[in-house]
Amino acid sequence: MSLVGVEVGPIYLAGLLRHTTPPPNIDNPHKRSDPFQFGTRYLSADDDIFSHNAWDHVTVDPAYDSFITAQTSFQRDNQVSDFDKRRFNEAPEKWWDKFYGNNATNFFKDRKWLVQEFPVLREVTRDGYGDVTVLEVGAGAGNTAFPLLEMNANAGMKLWACDYSRKAVELIRAQEAYVQQAEPVLRAEVWDAAGETLPPGLEAGTVDIVVLIFIFSALAPAQWERAVRNIWTLLKPGGEILFRDYGRGDLAQVRFKKGRYLEENFYVRGDGTRVYFFEEDELREIWSGNIFSERDGPRFDIVSLATDRRMLVNRQRKLKMYRCWMQGRFKKPADDEAVDISDIRKEAETG
């Protein structure tokens, strides 16, 4: 029986995953149980799948890749109407306002994995670190901002939480931890990352770290260049981006049914918010500037970029789900490190 176009259940997805043997250089006999520790728990053939809540780097069965292709074809053939495409794309912020209005108390879940995946956030919050400005773009209701504020012991820390949803910013500003700040460490502002202006109160070249957690995927591909340019403008030379977002073939993507496809890898959820699913090479092209035509455009160094493929397990119900995320760090070159990538290509071609 064909499953293309129907709601895909986790049991079916589990059947398309196979165990993978750890690389020879991986020594993790105790299968570390730290929550969301990236890349530390490999699933071997003799492991009990339900002994942990998640497994890293699960190899996808070829049948699942075939299923993704077939499901994407179905979604493409049953895409959003032209009228609805205009409706969802013209003012995306209003759908996020509605989302945060409907879920005002449902998403204050601390991202405990933040300092595990991005240790620099622990460093900049330490007592005595010194002056540092951290900007979270797409801050939502403060799931990243408030944990950082709570752990901060650095008198020189300035933390900005920006979102293009006014409702989201209102939620941040209404929290007791925000209202009762003894010193103005955290500031929340409405800002469209793909707009024509910088965040209120922030000037060009003043930000040390930009945090992009599941926000770049909310932008349409036509907005990427403007957003990248804005972030480049805000960062100091040597400043960096901490990035995490959805990957191609994630469970959330393959489960979309008809009437959700906006354009390739770009969908609208049932609540009207949009989401894009990235591939690793695509992100390299975006952040290194190769996707943009201008030679003087922003060209970040790719410090790290990896695909985080996981099997998440519901041990009580004996269910397994396949997820795929992208995680990376991108650095704005210091003034004396800037190199035109097109020149490197020429040297490679002639060398």
Side-chain angles (χ1 to χ4, degrees):
M1 180 178 65
S2 173
L3 288 174
V4 175
V6 304
E7 181 95 7
V8 182
I11 294 177
Y12 172 69
L13 292 183
L16 294 178
L17 299 174
R18 67 170 181 264
H19 297 185
T20 182
T21 301
N25 62 338
I26 296 295
D27 183 13
N28 188 30
H30 300 295
K31 307 288 185 184
R32 289 184 59 175
S33 58
D34 307 37
F36 298 99
Q37 185 71 33
F38 181 31
T40 61
R41 188 183 299 132
Y42 283 78
L43 181 61
S44 302
D46 57 350
D47 281 321
D48 174 8
I49 291 176
F50 299 105
S51 62
H52 294 284
N53 292 329
W55 298 92
D56 294 308
H57 306 301
V58 176
T59 302
V60 178
D61 191 284
Y64 183 75
D65 286 330
S66 298
F67 173 74
I68 292 175
T69 300
Q71 181 70 352
T72 302
S73 179
F74 170 84
Q75 294 165 344
R76 190 183 298 117
D77 292 340
N78 295 274
Q79 58 188 272
V80 178
S81 68
D82 290 341
F83 173 80
D84 279 340
K85 285 181 181 180
R86 290 191 295 271
R87 186 163 67 96
F88 292 124
N89 286 326
E90 283 178 355
E93 67 277 6
K94 76 176 184 180
W95 297 103
W96 285 104
D97 282 340
K98 184 177 180 180
F99 171 82
Y100 288 111
N102 291 337
N103 298 278
T105 61
N106 295 340
F107 39 32
F108 287 100
K109 298 178 181 179
D110 290 355
R111 290 169 170 165
K112 297 179 181 179
W113 48 266
L114 269 175
V115 294
Q116 294 174 348
E117 307 295 357
F118 302 115
V120 65
L121 293 177
R122 184 182 298 279
E123 292 301 315
V124 299
T125 56
R126 292 188 189 279
D127 183 20
Y129 180 87
D131 293 342
V132 63
T133 298
V134 178
L135 165 65
E136 186 189 12
V137 183
N143 289 16
T144 294
F146 286 119
L148 290 180
L149 179 64
E150 182 178 2
M151 68 185 294
N152 182 54
N154 178 15
M157 173 85 156
K158 295 297 181 184
L159 177 60
W160 294 71
C162 294
D163 200 287
Y164 66 3
S165 167
R166 292 185 178 277
K167 185 63 178 179
V169 173
E170 289 172 4
L171 288 173
I172 294 177
R173 291 174 175 174
Q175 293 303 302
E176 183 177 356
Y178 187 92
V179 175
Q180 297 188 358
Q181 295 180 87
E183 298 292 336
V185 176
L186 173 60
R187 176 173 171 178
E189 295 289 348
V190 177
W191 182 56
D192 181 358
E196 298 299 321
T197 61
L198 299 181
L202 274 179
E203 298 180 356
T206 61
V207 176
D208 296 278
I209 298 173
V210 172
V211 181
L212 298 176
I213 306 293
F214 298 108
I215 180 274
F216 208 67
S217 55
L219 302 177
Q223 297 177 294
W224 292 345
E225 182 171 4
R226 181 71 260 174
V228 171
R229 288 182 178 277
N230 284 339
I231 293 168
W232 176 275
T233 299
L234 285 165
L235 277 171
K236 298 176 181 177
E240 67 176 291
I241 296 165
L242 309 180
F243 182 94
R244 188 168 176 86
D245 223 315
Y246 295 103
R248 176 85 169 90
D250 181 70
L251 173 66
Q253 180 179 16
V254 300
R255 292 184 69 173
F256 279 117
K257 297 183 284 188
K258 61 172 61 177
R260 296 299 172 198
Y261 179 101
L262 290 168
E263 55 183 284
E264 195 68 16
N265 292 328
F266 194 42
Y267 299 80
V268 60
R269 301 183 181 96
D271 59 13
T273 61
R274 306 174 306 175
V275 58
Y276 189 93
F277 297 86
F278 293 97
E279 298 193 48
E280 189 173 322
D281 287 344
E282 182 177 42
L283 288 173
R284 292 184 186 278
E285 292 292 295
I286 293 169
W287 292 102
S288 65
N290 293 343
I291 200 172
F292 309 130
S293 58
E294 297 183 23
R295 287 170 55 90
D296 62 346
R299 298 181 181 274
F300 289 89
D301 292 333
I302 309 298
V303 178
S304 64
L305 180 59
T307 302
D308 184 356
R309 301 186 187 277
R310 298 194 180 180
M311 179 192 291
L312 301 186
V313 175
N314 183 320
R315 290 190 278 180
Q316 182 177 5
R317 300 179 61 195
K318 302 299 182 184
L319 298 179
K320 297 164 284 186
M321 295 159 284
Y322 170 64
R323 303 306 307 267
C324 181
W325 299 296
M326 298 290 146
Q327 184 164 305
R329 291 173 55 215
F330 316 130
K331 180 181 177 182
K332 180 177 181 178
D335 291 337
D336 60 349
E337 295 176 345
V339 177
D340 193 320
I341 291 179
S342 61
D343 290 339
I344 296 177
R345 284 176 172 169
K346 289 178 181 177
E347 291 177 9
E349 290 171 358
T350 59

